[in-house]
Amino acid sequence: MVDYHAANQSYQYGPSSAGNGAGGGGSMGDYMAQEDDWDRDLLLDPAWEKQQRKTFTAWCNSHLRKAGTQIENIDEDFRDGLKLMLLLEVISGERLPKPERGKMRVHKINNVNKALDFIASKGVKLVSIGAEEIVDGNAKMTLGMIWTIILRFAIQDISVEETSAKEGLLLWCQRKTAPYKNVNVQNFHISWKDGLAFNALIHRHRPELIEYDKLRKDDPVTNLNNAFEVAEKYLDIPKMLDAEDIVNTARPDEKAIMTYVSSFYHAFSGAQKAETAANRICKVLAVNQENEHLMEDYERLASDLLEWIRRTIPWLEDRVPQKTIQEMQQKLEDFRDYRRVHKPPKVQEKCQLEINFNTLQTKLRLSNRPAFMPSEGRMVSDINNCWQHLEQAEKGYEEWLLNEIRRLERLDHLAEKFRQKASIHEAWTDGKEAMLKHRDYETATLSDIKALIRKHEAFESDLAAHQDRVEQIAAIAQELNELDYYDSHNVNTRCQKICDQWDALGSLTHSRREALEKTEKQLETIDQLHLEYAKRAAPFNNWMESAMEDLQDMFIVHTIEEIEGLISAHNQFKSTLPDADREREAILAIHKEAQRIAESNHIKLSGSNPYTTVTPQIINSKWEKVQQLVPKRDHALLEEQSKQQSNEHLRRQFASQANIVGPWIQTKMEEIGRISIEMNGTLEDQLSHLKQYERSIVDYKPNLDLLEQQHQLIQEALIFDNKHTNYTMEHIRVGWEQLLTTIARTINEVENQILTRDAKGISQEQMQEFRASFNHFDKDHGGALGPEEFKACLISLGYDVENDRQGDAEFNRIMSVVDPNHSGLVTFQAFIDFMSRETTDTDTADQVIASFKVLAGDKNFITAEELRRELPPDQAEYCIARMAPYQGPDAAPGALDYKSFSTALYGESDL
């Protein structure tokens, strides 16, 4: 038998009883000393024993049901010590040593001793109560032990105005029932016999449950049963007494009454705690709901922007060329419309999305919540990467459009040049095959044969002169194929026809020459003058045809230097005209000399030169045509020169404006960086100054619009380069967008600092001190501190983060707070958040868990009914929807786990 006797020692409080109020320990100790000798003779009174048995049994079951069990007979059910140990674990919330499961007496004694040891560890001195008496079913000892447990765990902690235990509970009852008629609580026996005191306690706290005015003092049984039934049904207080036992007993058992009344105290004294806990939970849930709305808005906006980028990039990456320059021009116009109309709103959405993200993160930090992590692929960095991909595709698309337009222009020029040369060649070859196949030499005279030989020689000379043109036609066709000309099939067909015909002409020419040479020996007289005329007229005629072809040739230039080169070449050509004119006169003189000789010798000519088809009339006609084409060419070149001069003016005009706007944007970017570092005056002054600065930037927008107009004129004039400036319109646009984004981001940072200052109660002087410390160690003025710079700053502020094991651990902890992404940099906003957290108090997960435990009546779980009763409807439903089912050993139907829910609110585990 374990000895618990200590008759000469009074009851002392354990560590868990420190909250009983001043003087509580002494009064409770005195009371317990009186109870050490607990009316053993009276306990044998059958009426009192019956009341104690029923009350103590009901009290024990009110706790054991939390563990899913109960007792039927208080003498028998505690004999093996198992349910006794379970009862102590439930009411104390602590784990006792593992019980022994054997059926032998020694096992039962050991289990009961473990329970008695635990009671003794709580500062309770058990007098004359041993494990053997409990195992033997000694009713007196068992009831005494249960009463000691009730005193320690249900009544000891009651404290009202420096009175505790029995006196505190009595004072509480007197205070609560004072306003009610026919109620005068002076003790815990006869003052409760008529039942009015029980009904008054209920009505005082829950007036809707009791119609007190209808109760009669002369009907105690009805009054008692009414109070017991209402308490059991609505207050979850089990029925521990029988109305008839109380009424039929002269002096009801005091211990039974006290046990039952203490249940009312515990049920009602937590009302204020529940209200406070509900308010705390409401506050936390309201913040969480607002943050969730902000997160949903961010996800929606990010999804919309990413979807727009996803739809736009394939369009910008489409490199399918069009067949005509008009179709490509339409693509370019569509691209300009995208730049002017569709993209600017998306730039604003992207900037606003970053601002909303930063604001949300600031609110989460201020409310001690974990940082918001968007769903996969929707981080700000992901959006920036997609945006960069969009801009790269945009730049590549514009370059491709311009290159494609240049290619189509060259293709059109080459195709027209091919058609001109092919038409000239086809006109020249018309009838040549028939001529070469003609067998006129068979019936010709000797002079005719000689003439035919000379004529054939002239033709061969003409044929050789046209070789260059055929090669040019083939070269142009080849280039059109290499440039993927859309009508390459027809070009190739026509070119092949010309080449085949040229080969046929060469073969026929060779065959005819052989035939003429065969009969040449029979020819004696040749008109040397006609021959000389033919030989000189043919190349001169070819020169004139080439000249006419060059004078009518189309040209395309892009710079003033190119057109000046063409004008120079044309002037050089005009300088050769006097020599050509003298050659023409010499050729015509040969023809006149032949006519003069024929007339002087009475020779009858056929009227045409037998050796050539180029007559003086043809030479004069073509010469006149050349003379007409020269001034036309002059006019065309001068018009093009004027156009290029106009283009040069547009280049210089754009360059002049771009060379002003570009440096202005760069200067403003540098000034914003300097302002964000210096930050003089109060945060409101800084915010006002930045917004004024933002307005000055927005007011500069007309200069950018003017530059856009000038750029539009340049693109309409198809000007592709500008040597007068290093700035392109794309550079200006990107710089402008970066400028607007930077000033907006800087304003947002100051607004977040104001939000942090106001939420955390930081004074202006503290904020300036934080800024001065941060700037002092920000040596490169980059707006962020490296790890070593941040450590030096912390040391200057009095933090013990020196280079030892403890200092390094503290510094690593701080770095994990200010740099959760491990970027290696600490921004000023993260620095402010850290300093503000060091000096302010916020709600914690443990506080919220404690609040839920109050609402749950000290249970490890809570029910939906309790949440709906204690919280506003919307927040109660919010908790119910998010709380996981409770899985503990004491789980009841519908039990919800408020601990994991509370820790999830603060990011300490997954919800």
Side-chain angles (χ1 to χ4, degrees):
M1 176 177 176
V2 179
D3 185 12
Y4 287 95
H5 294 271
N8 57 344
Q9 297 182 19
S10 61
Y11 176 83
Q12 300 295 326
Y13 273 90
S16 63
S17 305
N20 289 327
S27 61
M28 186 62 187
D30 296 341
Y31 181 72
M32 290 295 295
Q34 297 169 9
E35 293 294 333
D36 283 345
D37 191 15
W38 27 272
D39 293 337
R40 292 174 178 78
D41 295 334
L42 292 176
L43 180 61
L44 299 177
D45 186 314
W48 283 27
E49 181 178 351
K50 178 181 178 182
Q51 291 178 17
Q52 287 189 10
R53 281 179 178 276
K54 179 175 181 61
T55 302
F56 292 177
T57 299
W59 183 86
C60 291
N61 284 335
S62 70
H63 293 287
L64 287 173
R65 68 180 180 181
K66 298 177 183 177
T69 186
Q70 63 180 9
I71 61 172
E72 299 294 338
N73 189 319
I74 198 168
D75 301 343
E76 296 296 328
D77 292 348
F78 284 140
R79 291 180 63 185
D80 60 3
L82 295 178
K83 289 188 177 180
L84 178 59
M85 293 178 70
L86 180 60
L87 173 65
L88 290 173
E89 286 186 347
V90 171
I91 63 178
S92 68
E94 300 179 22
R95 178 68 65 183
L96 271 69
K98 184 176 180 180
E100 298 179 10
R101 295 295 180 179
K103 301 296 185 179
M104 300 176 63
R105 176 179 176 83
V106 66
H107 297 143
K108 297 179 182 180
I109 291 174
N110 289 339
N111 288 338
V112 174
N113 275 330
K114 290 177 182 179
L116 296 178
D117 288 343
F118 178 78
I119 296 172
S121 70
K122 298 301 177 181
V124 178
K125 302 301 181 181
L126 296 174
V127 180
S128 302
I129 299 178
E132 287 82 351
E133 286 86 350
I134 304 301
V135 172
D136 292 337
N138 188 314
K140 178 177 66 174
M141 295 299 178
T142 301
L143 291 175
M145 178 189 65
I146 296 302
W147 173 240
T148 301
I149 293 174
I150 293 172
L151 283 176
R152 172 60 183 85
F153 293 101
I155 300 177
Q156 170 188 330
D157 292 338
I158 297 175
S159 176
V160 179
E161 289 189 2
E162 301 184 357
T163 61
S164 59
K166 177 179 178 180
E167 290 77 8
L169 181 61
L170 184 62
L171 179 58
W172 178 79
C173 294
Q174 292 171 343
R175 291 263 182 94
K176 296 299 180 181
T177 59
Y180 294 87
K181 63 181 181 178
N182 297 325
V183 177
N184 183 17
V185 178
Q186 297 297 326
N187 50 54
F188 287 108
H189 35 81
I190 60 175
S191 296
W192 302 85
K193 287 188 64 173
D194 58 8
L196 292 179
F198 290 111
N199 285 276
L201 279 179
I202 297 174
H203 186 269
R204 180 65 181 269
H205 294 92
R206 298 288 299 275
E208 75 279 6
L209 301 179
I210 297 290
E211 293 181 331
Y212 187 82
D213 293 337
K214 295 183 178 180
L215 300 176
R216 301 198 322 271
K217 186 175 181 63
D218 58 356
D219 190 2
V221 174
T222 300
N223 297 341
L224 289 167
N225 284 329
N226 181 66
F228 297 162
E229 291 171 0
V230 169
E232 183 175 32
K233 182 177 180 180
Y234 296 103
L235 303 181
D236 199 26
I237 298 175
K239 186 176 181 181
M240 301 182 186
L241 302 171
D242 281 332
E244 291 78 3
D245 291 344
I246 294 174
V247 172
N248 296 330
T249 303
R251 186 173 182 268
D253 180 60
E254 185 178 50
K255 297 179 180 65
I257 299 294
M258 284 181 64
T259 300
Y260 188 53
V261 172
S262 68
S263 298
F264 284 89
Y265 173 85
H266 290 296
F268 293 135
S269 65
Q272 183 62 36
K273 295 180 182 178
E275 181 178 356
T276 302
N279 290 335
R280 180 183 294 274
I281 292 172
C282 291
K283 174 185 173 184
V284 171
L285 295 179
V287 171
N288 214 60
Q289 288 173 308
E290 179 185 2
N291 291 338
E292 286 188 1
H293 290 319
L294 292 175
M295 294 175 190
E296 292 170 359
D297 291 342
Y298 174 88
E299 292 282 347
R300 177 179 54 77
L301 291 174
S303 297
D304 293 345
L305 183 58
L306 288 171
E307 175 63 21
W308 178 82
I309 295 174
R310 185 191 65 77
R311 294 196 311 270
T312 306
I313 287 178
W315 175 66
L316 293 173
E317 292 178 343
D318 180 19
R319 299 293 189 270
V320 178
Q322 301 299 317
K323 293 182 178 180
T324 66
I325 193 170
Q326 291 78 15
E327 293 174 323
M328 289 305 298
Q329 287 281 9
Q330 183 58 48
K331 273 184 169 287
L332 182 60
E333 185 60 32
D334 293 341
F335 179 73
R336 291 171 182 162
D337 186 66
Y338 154 79
R339 278 270 186 81
R340 292 190 302 264
V341 178
H342 301 291
K343 184 181 177 183
K346 298 303 178 183
V347 173
Q348 294 297 323
E349 288 182 15
K350 177 176 175 292
C351 178
Q352 189 61 44
L353 193 66
E354 293 180 2
I355 292 173
N356 291 350
F357 181 83
N358 292 334
T359 301
L360 174 58
Q361 297 293 46
T362 299
K363 289 186 175 180
L364 289 172
R365 286 193 296 270
L366 294 178
S367 59
N368 202 24
R369 299 305 195 274
F372 169 54
M373 290 296 293
S375 56
E376 183 177 0
R378 296 176 183 171
M379 293 285 293
V380 172
S381 59
D382 297 327
I383 296 173
N384 288 332
N385 290 336
C386 291
W387 190 264
Q388 185 178 6
H389 186 189
L390 173 73
E391 293 187 334
Q392 290 173 349
E394 179 180 322
K395 181 180 179 181
Y397 187 67
E398 183 178 28
E399 293 174 355
W400 174 78
L401 284 175
L402 297 177
N403 290 334
E404 193 65 18
I405 290 174
R406 292 192 188 100
R407 184 183 72 83
L408 290 176
E409 282 184 333
R410 176 158 180 77
L411 282 175
D412 287 348
H413 172 67
L414 288 175
E416 183 60 27
K417 192 172 185 178
F418 173 84
R419 287 190 287 271
Q420 284 186 359
K421 289 184 178 293
S423 297
I424 293 172
H425 177 78
E426 289 166 349
W428 178 83
T429 59
D430 185 32
K432 293 295 189 294
E433 288 189 24
M435 180 195 73
L436 292 173
K437 292 177 181 180
H438 191 213
R439 305 177 66 87
D440 55 342
Y441 54 84
E442 294 180 347
T443 59
T445 63
L446 183 59
S447 59
D448 291 335
I449 290 298
K450 292 291 185 182
L452 288 176
I453 290 175
R454 298 294 184 269
K455 182 179 181 181
H456 189 70
E457 290 176 351
F459 173 76
E460 286 180 328
S461 178
D462 198 12
L463 186 67
H466 280 80
Q467 178 67 33
D468 290 339
R469 179 176 289 110
V470 174
E471 292 175 355
Q472 291 174 5
I473 291 172
I476 293 172
Q478 179 64 27
E479 188 172 1
L480 287 172
N481 277 294
E482 291 174 354
L483 294 176
D484 196 21
Y485 182 56
Y486 76 95
D487 199 22
S488 295
H489 175 72
N490 291 331
V491 170
N492 292 335
T493 301
R494 191 173 184 182
C495 180
Q496 188 62 45
K497 182 179 179 182
I498 290 173
C499 292
D500 292 343
Q501 187 184 39
W502 183 255
D503 293 338
L505 287 176
S507 178
L508 290 172
T509 299
H510 180 72
S511 299
R512 184 173 176 82
R513 183 174 184 81
E514 287 180 347
L516 290 174
E517 288 177 349
K518 188 176 180 179
T519 59
E520 184 180 9
K521 295 178 181 179
Q522 303 173 4
L523 302 179
E524 296 178 352
T525 306
I526 298 175
D527 191 345
Q528 293 296 328
L529 292 175
H530 280 182
L531 180 59
E532 183 180 359
Y533 172 86
K535 288 183 177 180
R536 295 182 67 175
F540 184 75
N541 179 65
N542 188 55
W543 176 85
M544 287 192 296
E545 287 182 349
S546 297
M548 289 189 293
E549 183 178 338
D550 290 340
L551 290 171
Q552 297 178 83
D553 189 17
M554 295 177 62
F555 59 85
I556 179 171
V557 295
H558 295 96
T559 66
I560 190 69
E561 291 80 7
E562 291 177 359
I563 189 60
E564 288 177 351
L566 290 179
I567 292 174
S568 175
H570 182 62
N571 290 334
Q572 185 177 359
F573 166 78
K574 289 195 294 183
S575 68
T576 64
L577 290 179
D579 292 339
D581 189 41
R582 284 190 289 272
E583 176 66 14
R584 181 185 64 84
E585 291 177 353
I587 293 172
L588 293 178
I590 293 172
H591 178 71
K592 291 178 181 178
E593 180 65 16
Q595 286 183 330
R596 188 190 64 77
I597 294 174
E599 289 174 359
S600 63
N601 293 285
H602 305 288
I603 298 174
K604 186 177 181 181
L605 300 174
S606 62
S608 61
N609 191 322
Y611 306 114
T612 182
T613 60
V614 181
T615 65
Q617 292 78 16
I618 292 175
I619 290 175
N620 287 331
S621 174
K622 291 183 177 181
W623 178 256
E624 183 179 354
K625 181 67 173 176
V626 169
Q627 296 287 19
Q628 293 173 354
L629 290 175
V630 167
K632 291 182 179 179
R633 185 71 168 184
D634 287 335
H635 180 69
L637 290 172
L638 289 175
E639 280 189 346
E640 184 62 27
Q641 184 182 35
S642 176
K643 175 183 175 184
Q644 291 303 323
Q645 288 173 344
S646 174
N647 289 351
E648 184 68 10
H649 172 71
L650 290 176
R651 288 188 184 95
R652 292 180 181 275
Q653 184 180 19
F654 175 83
S656 175
Q657 183 70 6
N659 288 335
I660 294 173
V661 173
W664 183 89
I665 291 176
Q666 185 174 358
T667 300
K668 293 301 179 183
M669 288 289 289
E670 294 173 355
E671 291 178 358
I672 292 173
R674 189 167 56 252
I675 291 173
S676 65
I677 293 174
E678 294 174 355
M679 290 297 182
N680 296 320
T682 66
L683 291 178
E684 285 74 10
D685 294 339
Q686 296 169 19
L687 182 61
S688 175
H689 178 59
L690 285 172
K691 289 187 176 180
Q692 291 177 0
Y693 204 82
E694 181 183 38
R695 286 194 292 273
S696 70
I697 291 174
V698 173
D699 292 341
Y700 196 76
K701 184 66 164 56
N703 295 284
L704 200 71
D705 295 338
L706 175 60
L707 198 60
E708 286 282 7
Q709 295 171 4
Q710 294 170 352
H711 180 65
Q712 178 72 17
L713 295 176
I714 284 179
Q715 289 194 320
E716 291 173 354
L718 298 180
I719 299 172
F720 305 113
D721 53 15
N722 192 340
K723 65 182 181 180
H724 303 294
T725 181
N726 293 325
Y727 293 99
T728 65
M729 197 63 227
E730 180 62 24
H731 292 153
I732 298 295
R733 292 192 191 103
V734 171
W736 180 257
E737 292 169 359
Q738 290 178 346
L739 180 61
L740 292 179
T741 301
T742 300
I743 188 65
R745 187 180 294 115
T746 304
I747 290 174
N748 178 248
E749 288 176 356
V750 176
E751 290 175 338
N752 285 341
Q753 292 176 23
I754 292 175
L755 185 61
T756 301
R757 183 200 65 191
D758 295 342
K760 301 297 185 178
I762 301 175
S763 67
Q764 183 62 36
E765 291 74 14
Q766 287 178 305
M767 188 65 73
Q768 290 176 348
E769 179 184 355
F770 293 158
R771 169 55 76 179
S773 297
F774 187 88
N775 288 344
H776 175 75
F777 291 96
D778 185 12
K779 302 301 183 182
D780 58 355
H781 304 294
L785 300 180
E788 292 303 320
E789 293 173 331
F790 181 57
K791 177 180 283 187
C793 183
L794 289 177
I795 293 173
S796 71
L797 292 173
Y799 285 83
D800 185 11
V801 291
E802 295 292 345
N803 292 325
D804 54 32
R805 179 177 298 178
Q806 183 175 0
D808 290 342
E810 175 64 11
F811 180 70
N812 291 335
R813 181 193 70 79
I814 295 175
M815 282 298 294
S816 67
V817 174
V818 299
D819 184 22
N821 296 325
H822 305 291
S823 64
L825 293 175
V826 180
T827 65
F828 181 65
Q829 183 61 44
F831 177 70
I832 289 297
D833 291 341
F834 169 72
M835 295 305 297
S836 62
R837 273 199 300 272
E838 291 295 299
T839 57
T840 56
D841 183 28
T842 56
D843 294 324
T844 65
D846 290 339
Q847 291 175 323
V848 176
I849 290 173
S851 298
F852 272 117
K853 190 166 186 178
V854 171
L855 297 187
D858 264 353
K859 297 192 300 292
N860 291 324
F861 59 85
I862 195 167
T863 65
E865 180 181 357
E866 289 170 333
L867 287 170
R868 292 190 178 101
R869 184 177 72 231
E870 301 294 347
L871 298 179
D874 60 332
Q875 296 186 340
E877 297 304 324
Y878 178 85
C879 293
I880 294 169
R882 286 161 174 77
M883 282 187 182
Y886 177 68
Q887 302 295 335
D890 54 340
L896 300 176
D897 187 353
Y898 59 77
K899 291 184 180 179
S900 61
F901 171 76
S902 301
T903 56
L905 288 177
Y906 290 86
E908 298 177 15
S909 65
D910 293 334
L911 182 59

